[in-house]
Amino acid sequence: MYPFPEGEGDWQESEADLQDCSMGMSTDDMIAELFAASVFGDPHIRGAYIRVQVQNRVVILLGEVASVQARKVMRQRAWEVPGVADVCNRLTVVPPGRS
């Protein structure tokens, strides 16, 4: 796993770490991979339809989740990925049975 930034300005070091370890992947692709790995199997999103895009280190969350808590968890997980500059949470809450 990659180190999380300690304080203000440390994100640049984390981005460099991502580029060193990416094996030819772009920073955006690496961020997407790390985010996907961090939420894989998470019970908050089991059965949810979520699409993730990363553009210029901005994570864009699209799709539907079953609760406000799931929406918050996905946003927090995105912010925890090293190198993320911003998160655009466009997840819609659709309670089970209302699709």
Side-chain angles (χ1 to χ4, degrees), residues 50-94:
I50 296 175
R51 195 169 88 217
V52 178
Q53 297 176 341
V54 182
Q55 298 175 356
N56 299 320
R57 297 184 2 251
V58 176
V59 177
I60 304 164
L61 302 173
L62 304 160
E64 299 176 350
V65 292
S67 69
V68 172
Q69 180 64 21
R71 187 175 189 275
K72 288 178 183 178
V73 166
M74 293 301 101
R75 179 182 178 278
Q76 181 60 39
R77 291 281 179 88
W79 273 114
E80 291 172 354
V81 175
V84 170
D86 200 3
V87 176
C88 178
N89 191 349
R90 298 187 62 202
L91 294 171
T92 303
V93 177
V94 178

Side-chain angles (χ1 to χ4, degrees), residues 10-21 27 31 57 82-84:
D10 288 346
W11 62 268
Q12 285 124 347
E13 293 174 17
S14 295
E15 184 178 357
D17 291 340
L18 282 174
Q19 289 173 346
D20 290 343
C21 299
T27 300
I31 288 171
R57 297 184 2 251
V84 170

